[in-house]
Amino acid sequence: MAKLHIITVPDPLLKTKSVAVELVDDDIRKLLDDMLETMYGAPGVGLAGVQVGVPKRLLVIHTARDDESKSPIALINPEILECSEDMRLHEEGCLSIPEVYAEVERPASCRVSYVDRDGKPQEMFCEDMLSTVVQHEIDHLNGVLFIDHLSKLKRDMIIKKYLKAQKGETVD
Ligand code: NI
C-alpha cells in the first residue's frame, strides 16, 4: 500500500463530478487500499477518490475505529436511495479543507446502494455518524464540499480565513 497526496481547496478538481467505475479490477482494489492507508495516515474517517486526484465514483469510510465490530468499508458507485426526515447536526471537517470545522445538518439516516470491492451490488442502512460521513463523501463525488451546505456569508468567511491561514498570515 502507498500513501497518496490529498488535494485541498481551492483545487478545481474538488468541484468536478466524478465518473462511474465501469469495472472493479485489481487497479481499483489497489486504489481503495491506498486510499484507506492515506485516510488512516491523515487521519480521517472518510476519503473520496477525487480527494487523491482520481475523479472516479469510489470512497472509503471507517468510523469508530476503536470499536472492533466496525470494519472499513469501500463503496463503489454509491447512491443514496432514501433519507430520513429526521436531521442530525454534526461538526464536520474535511481532509481537503484542513483545520476548518463547521456544523452541518443532514438526514439522520439513509439507505445507500453501492458495489463492493468484489464487484457485488450491496445495500447498506446508515445512521448517526455513518449517515453523516457517507453523505459527506458522496457529496465529494458530485463536486460538493461540506462548506457548500453553509450560508454564502458563512462559507465566504470560512474560505477567506482558510486561505489566509494557508499563506501563514495571522487570522483575526
Ligand atoms: Ni471531505
Side-chain angles (χ1 to χ4, degrees):
M1 291 204 275
K3 254 189 222 173
L4 307 168
H5 173 69
I6 298 176
I7 62 170
T8 54
V9 167
D11 191 313
L13 197 59
L14 290 167
K15 304 299 285 176
T16 63
K17 199 167 151 68
S18 295
V19 298
V21 174
E22 308 250 316
L23 177 73
V24 182
D25 56 13
D26 285 346
D27 287 347
I28 290 291
R29 279 183 282 271
K30 173 162 194 316
L31 174 61
L32 289 167
D33 289 342
D34 289 347
M35 283 168 59
L36 208 55
E37 187 182 339
T38 306
M39 182 186 82
Y40 289 146
V45 293
L47 190 68
V50 66
Q51 292 182 275
V52 292
V54 184
K56 289 186 179 170
R57 303 189 78 81
L58 78 185
L59 50 96
V60 290
I61 290 178
H62 196 175
T63 54
R65 281 174 63 191
D66 41 354
D67 178 349
E68 282 178 16
S69 68
K70 301 219 169 78
S71 37
I73 30 175
L75 293 89
I76 299 161
N77 300 338
E79 269 186 66
I80 296 178
L81 302 173
E82 58 184 336
C83 285
S84 65
E85 278 176 28
D86 295 1
M87 303 293 277
R88 103 181 262 273
L89 197 62
H90 188 84
E91 186 174 68
E92 296 188 23
C94 179
L95 296 175
S96 293
I97 323 173
E99 316 279 317
V100 170
Y101 302 91
E103 285 196 325
V104 177
E105 198 179 37
R106 300 181 188 266
S109 64
C110 60
R111 215 157 51 82
V112 176
S113 70
Y114 64 100
V115 170
D116 69 17
R117 52 181 296 136
D118 297 317
K120 287 197 190 122
Q122 304 281 358
E123 259 184 48
M124 177 172 74
F125 177 73
C126 308
E127 56 188 346
D128 302 324
M129 177 71 170
L130 183 58
S131 179
T132 294
V133 176
V134 84
Q135 290 173 64
H136 174 122
E137 298 309 327
I138 291 175
D139 268 356
H140 273 300
L141 308 183
N142 296 319
V144 175
L145 299 170
F146 80 94
I147 53 172
D148 294 328
H149 290 277
L150 307 173
S151 68
K152 186 176 179 331
L153 188 72
K154 191 152 188 213
R155 182 169 60 247
D156 288 350
M157 201 177 75
I158 282 178
I159 291 177
K160 206 171 137 192
K161 214 166 144 182
Y162 165 79
L163 292 175
K164 256 191 181 177
Q166 292 292 302
K167 278 191 263 168
E169 290 172 21
T170 339
V171 180
D172 53 4

